[in-house]
Amino acid sequence: MDDAPVWSLSCLYVRKTYRRQGITSHLIAAALEAARRANAPALEAYPFDADVSPSASGSGYASTFARAGFRVVGRRMPARPIMRYDFQQNADDGV
């Protein structure tokens, strides 16, 4: 992809009885806050694209990460975008 230093958010697991309640969004927000406090340059995630694959087992959906300000920076497999939240770029954009 590139040589940018990033932190990675590789897996989110929400118990089945708690899904569809916004918990993944809260977990993403907490991960972003932890990375921001630690002065990480960026946070990357590897979710599923629901338009290509219905499975999001453990990694969440790309649309949830997009709503949190992540952008697609690459795609090695059609259903698995590489998404990144760049703290400097998002600050410049007011996100």
Side-chain angles (χ1 to χ4, degrees), residues 14-49:
V14 177
R15 186 176 225 156
K16 203 173 211 178
T17 55
Y18 293 97
R19 293 180 190 162
R20 300 184 120 3
Q21 298 179 33
I23 292 172
T24 298
S25 294
H26 289 289
L27 292 172
I28 293 168
L32 283 167
E33 184 57 30
R36 181 181 285 115
R37 285 184 186 168
N39 294 317
L43 182 62
E44 255 183 22
Y46 317 99
F48 271 93
D49 185 337

